[in-house]
Amino acid sequence: MNNKILTNCWNLSICISALGALSLSACTSGIDSDNPKSYEGFEVKFLVGSALQEFCEQSAQQFNATKPKLDNGTAFYLNCEAKGTGDVVTQVTSLAQQLKSGTIQPDDAKFPTLISVDGEIYHSQLLYQFNQIFPGQNYIPEITDAPLIASSPMVFMAPADIAAGLRKQEDLYKTLVTAKNHKEIDSNSPQLPINYVHTAPTRSNSGLQTLVAQFASVSGKRPEQLTAADVQKYQPQIQSIQSKVTRYGVSTNALASDMVKNGPFWASIGSVYESSVIKANSNLQPGQTRYEAIYPKATFTSNMRAILPSATWVNADEKAAAEKIIEYLKTPQVQKIATELGLRPGVPGVELGAKFTPELGVQAEVKYDSLRPPQPEIVAAMLKSWQEFAKKPSQVVVVVDSSGSMSGNKLPAVQNTLRNYIQSLGPKEEIALIDFDDQIRTPIKVNGTPEGQAKGMEFIANLRVDGGTRLYDAALEARNWLQQNFRNDAINAVVILTDGDDSGSDINLEKLRQELEKSNFNSDKRIAFFTVGYGEEGEFNPEVLKQIAELNGGYYRKGDPETISTLMADLQVEF
């Protein structure tokens, strides 16, 4: 197959409708990572969930170094691409829909030869979707027919002084329905509010597994026994758990790392992979809190399997090559790569190695009841309930730089990105838009209603490039507006898009820092900051933008006209 660039997206009608499907990250593996065609032969693309990304990259480097060939002498190579698991499913089903409609042909370079998702709920979704598109064709193998590559159980992650009390709970999700703080959960725990984080279930496998586990917990039923009536009955309890969420996220590993970096006032409990705990604790810096894994009595194992479609787009040579790759990934020396990354091996007899230790917050030997996926229609009902009822609301101020340096293709790309952002607003999301240059204009409130979207479109249409860049003043104005309009029931945040250094502000960076410390995650009115440096570094100061974001528990990202839409879509998932 040719070098493939996946560009088309299609929202799954039953389970992934909130925010669109956009790439989290991509990896290309090989001797020349910028040019996979430096290898001889044809490409075998392996489209994987983000939890398997590093394993795929490292395995591909080793495999390609062997200069693999088919039995008939044809050369080939392995190329990895990683996305959030929800995006993997959306990507592949979109291609299938296009194939069925005749828009693309089976030999189109966009098709992956191998697929992996980070858990069996999304594997079940993939099966269901393909059976709807191609009834009776059995293009996607059943879960048990797809070889297991690696796994990582879902755990709770918490600091040691909190973890001890959490381990005493018979069922922690049931406890989270009513508990107000950690002292209430266990008298020996610190007097600390419950600040809970997990990834967004519409994009991330760990988030979806978390949501399903919550429904199973509060209902007292196994996931496969849950009904649509159960989803309706128990959604108030799920809403109560979700009310304690302080951040949703796109990446499980990034969320766990942020917990360690920011400490328990930022997040005291997280639902993550066991491997995420290992990774986060592997790079502890002086003064950072070490977190521990709490293993539920029943949890999802997060089985990561190699899915080889029996489909028209996988020709005989590609199938033979994929089978050789799968066998290679199951060898002990390659499985050792998985254990070194904190993943449990997919084949028996492979030692866990040095990462599975209490020093890194986990236990080598654990026993738990492994949960199975619900019916796909029930997953759809859960996601709909989460989006419309249980999800914690958000109120975000989006600060848009329209100074003179935003000329050329910068402003049109931002306008298009804002249009997509507004059109994808869910029923629980509100934003306020602030346009600034050497003036800071009045915030425009926007929501997902037709009236709210119309206001947003008018704001976009009226953006004009001119003037200077009062960045610090605009950041403070956004914070002050949120403080005055603070919603205790919502995630409150600021997103700043700028392509220039501050010029003409009444305050300096130190004064801004002092002000933002009053509303960081240690305060009663937590306001997260996220910054996007837009354009070429040198036009703006990335270190300043990083400082502004990290003061309030957020992060900085670099964007440009080609990447801004994807970047903003990922940011939107945080709230």
Side-chain angles (χ1 to χ4, degrees), residues 22-234:
L22 293 160
S23 147
L24 285 176
S25 58
C27 61
T28 301
S29 305
I31 296 171
D32 180 355
S33 61
D34 294 325
N35 182 21
K37 296 302 278 186
S38 62
Y39 292 118
E40 295 181 1
F42 65 89
E43 176 195 58
V44 176
K45 175 183 279 184
F46 197 176
L47 181 60
V48 302
S50 56
L52 208 61
Q53 175 176 350
E54 289 184 79
F55 172 78
C56 190
E57 289 179 304
Q58 294 186 31
S59 301
Q61 287 178 342
Q62 292 190 15
F63 180 73
N64 292 336
T66 69
K67 298 183 178 180
K69 294 182 179 180
L70 300 180
D71 294 342
N72 63 13
T74 303
F76 66 94
Y77 63 93
L78 174 60
N79 184 30
C80 298
E81 183 172 325
K83 295 178 178 288
T85 288
D87 296 344
V88 169
V89 174
T90 300
Q91 186 76 63
V92 177
T93 50
S94 172
L95 292 169
Q97 286 280 14
Q98 293 174 63
L99 178 65
K100 183 175 182 180
S101 68
T103 307
I104 59 176
Q105 299 303 310
D107 60 353
D108 194 290
K110 298 182 183 73
F111 281 108
T113 305
L114 282 167
I115 306 163
S116 181
V117 291
D118 291 341
E120 293 177 355
I121 299 177
Y122 269 116
H123 192 146
S124 177
Q125 294 291 326
L126 191 63
L127 274 165
Y128 179 82
Q129 289 293 322
F130 267 77
N131 288 337
Q132 297 295 306
I133 300 167
F134 299 108
Q137 297 299 309
N138 299 321
Y139 279 173
I140 302 298
E142 295 292 331
I143 291 173
T144 54
D145 293 332
L148 183 63
I149 301 301
S151 68
S152 190
M154 289 294 300
V155 299
F156 294 103
M157 178 176 171
D161 57 348
I162 291 174
L166 300 182
R167 288 194 181 95
K168 299 175 185 178
Q169 304 306 304
E170 182 70 20
D171 188 322
L172 187 49
Y173 282 132
K174 286 184 177 177
T175 300
L176 290 178
V177 171
T178 56
K180 300 293 190 298
N181 57 63
H182 285 285
K183 196 78 171 177
E184 186 178 320
I185 294 176
D186 181 73
S187 59
N188 294 320
S189 294
Q191 186 71 38
L192 187 72
I194 297 170
N195 298 317
Y196 177 44
V197 295
H198 67 73
T199 56
T202 49
R203 294 281 298 278
S204 166
N205 174 70
S206 73
L208 182 56
Q209 290 182 159
T210 296
L211 181 64
V212 173
Q214 289 173 4
F215 272 106
S217 171
V218 300
S219 68
K221 292 186 174 183
R222 297 192 63 82
E224 61 268 31
Q225 297 171 335
L226 288 166
T227 66
D230 291 327
V231 173
Q232 290 294 313
K233 179 178 179 181
Y234 295 105

Side-chain angles (χ1 to χ4, degrees), residues 27 98 104 113 171 265 344 383-384 392 501 538 568:
C27 61
Q98 293 174 63
I104 59 176
T113 305
D171 188 322
F265 281 96
R344 292 185 179 254
L383 283 167
K384 187 173 187 292
K392 189 165 185 176
D501 278 342
M568 286 295 291

Side-chain angles (χ1 to χ4, degrees), residues 269-303:
I269 310 177
S271 289
V272 300
Y273 300 125
E274 177 190 55
S275 59
S276 302
V277 179
I278 293 172
K279 185 177 180 67
N281 283 328
S282 294
N283 301 295
L284 280 181
Q285 301 300 309
Q288 290 184 337
T289 302
R290 187 177 69 87
Y291 280 68
E292 297 180 357
I294 299 100
Y295 296 85
K297 292 184 177 180
T299 193
F300 283 100
T301 304
S302 310
N303 288 326

Side-chain angles (χ1 to χ4, degrees), residues 297-320:
K297 292 184 177 180
T299 193
F300 283 100
T301 304
S302 310
N303 288 326
M304 304 163 204
R305 300 176 179 274
I307 301 169
L308 175 55
S310 299
T312 56
W313 66 80
V314 179
N315 64 37
D317 279 357
E318 290 164 348
K319 180 181 178 183

